[in-house]
Amino acid sequence: MNSEARPAASSSDQATSDQAWAEFWGGTHSIYVNPRHVEVHYTRLARDLTALIETRNRPLVLDWGCGDALSAPAIVGACAELWLYDAVGPVRLRIAQRFAGMSGIRVLEDAEWQGLAPASLDMIIVVSVAQYLGQGDLERLLDHFRRVVRVDGEVIFADIIPPHVSMISDVSSLLGTGWRNGFFLAACAGLARTFFSEYRRLRATAGFSCYAQAGFEALCVRHGFAVERLARNVGFNQQRMTFRLRPSG
């Protein structure tokens, strides 16, 4: 595991970093440049995730680290049920209010996530989360996933960032997406805002966890999974990676 823009962190440093990211995602931020960007992003996310979910017969799916989960209504139809969990309290509150009473969608609290029965999930999806976790946290998460996913189930890890991929890749992906989808000027303005934003400062100081393909695969194998890298990443940024994990042994 490589940490972008910082040396290897101690456990106390990592806890501080994790808390900084949690506070960022729990508050108000401007990752998306305008409503059109939000629409395009979540439409693509829903399309790609639905294609993966539909390889199974209406599975029970957990979206772990789901964030605001704006793609949930578009993918729930492919699921027996869609469960949502995010470790950030204010995010859980937002999505619990957003999806209250919506058929097929359930928001898990911390105790419910921790208390899931063994072999209870058909599929777990984790999109653009691993970069905010220290390796120790990721390894504990893999152990928990191995316990709660069925023997014939799977875990999808999407948006894994290789060590050689920098923020320039994100800029290029955003500008290209904006050009193709009618929000190029807004994307340029958004990048200017990002330059002075808390997100840029956190990315520089708290850093990202990055994994080479072989390193990520070896890590997953050590925690009881067979791993394959999929041909395409979920979402627009094809410099990042998506993996399918299945229980082994």
Side-chain angles (χ1 to χ4, degrees):
M1 188 270 285
N2 291 327
S3 293
E4 183 179 282
R6 61 173 177 170
S10 68
S11 57
S12 60
D13 288 341
Q14 185 60 56
T16 300
S17 170
D18 293 349
Q19 181 62 30
W21 280 118
E23 290 174 357
F24 174 82
W25 291 115
T28 302
H29 57 79
S30 57
I31 290 298
Y32 303 106
V33 301
N34 65 4
R36 175 61 176 160
H37 185 196
V38 174
E39 176 191 6
V40 168
H41 172 79
Y42 280 101
T43 297
R44 173 62 179 267
L45 191 62
R47 188 195 78 182
D48 290 355
L49 290 176
T50 297
L52 292 170
I53 293 167
E54 286 180 340
T55 62
R56 309 185 65 85
N57 182 22
R58 291 186 57 78
L60 172 56
V61 178
L62 170 65
D63 184 349
W64 196 96
C66 61
D68 286 308
L70 296 179
S71 59
I75 68 176
V76 67
C79 310
E81 284 188 76
L82 176 61
W83 294 357
L84 305 174
Y85 174 74
D86 199 283
V88 180
V91 174
R92 284 200 308 278
L93 179 60
R94 288 201 298 265
I95 60 176
Q97 293 171 340
R98 178 175 295 126
F99 299 119
M102 185 171 291
S103 177
I105 298 179
R106 174 185 171 191
V107 178
L108 302 185
E109 290 298 327
D110 280 334
E112 293 174 302
W113 150 244
Q114 294 295 337
L116 285 176
S120 56
L121 298 170
D122 297 309
M123 191 173 192
I124 303 170
I125 55 178
V126 188
V127 181
S128 202
V129 173
Q131 63 264 40
Y132 304 111
L133 302 175
Q135 184 170 322
D137 290 332
L138 179 59
E139 295 200 55
R140 286 185 288 273
L141 186 63
L142 286 168
D143 287 338
H144 200 63
F145 284 170
R146 184 65 176 81
R147 186 180 72 83
V148 300
V149 75
R150 301 186 196 278
V151 293
D152 61 346
E154 63 186 73
V155 181
I156 300 293
F157 267 95
D159 240 23
I160 301 296
I161 305 176
H164 67 275
V165 172
S166 71
M167 200 168 182
I168 294 172
S169 166
D170 296 345
V171 170
S172 176
S173 178
L174 174 60
L175 291 177
T177 302
W179 181 260
R180 293 187 296 272
N181 292 279
F183 61 93
F184 180 77
L185 293 180
C188 294
L191 287 171
R193 290 194 302 273
T194 298
F195 185 82
F196 298 101
S197 71
E198 180 70 3
Y199 180 85
R200 180 176 178 271
R201 185 192 69 78
L202 273 176
R203 186 159 173 170
T205 58
F208 272 6
S209 294
C210 302
Y211 297 88
Q213 178 176 341
F216 187 81
E217 290 172 342
L219 181 64
C220 295
V221 167
R222 291 201 302 272
H223 290 269
F225 289 99
V227 193
E228 64 170 319
R229 180 180 175 183
L230 302 187
R232 293 188 60 80
N233 183 39
V234 168
F236 288 104
N237 192 338
Q238 295 306 306
Q239 295 298 309
R240 300 183 179 191
M241 304 177 288
T242 291
F243 296 88
R244 177 184 283 117
L245 285 56
R246 291 191 172 103
S248 60

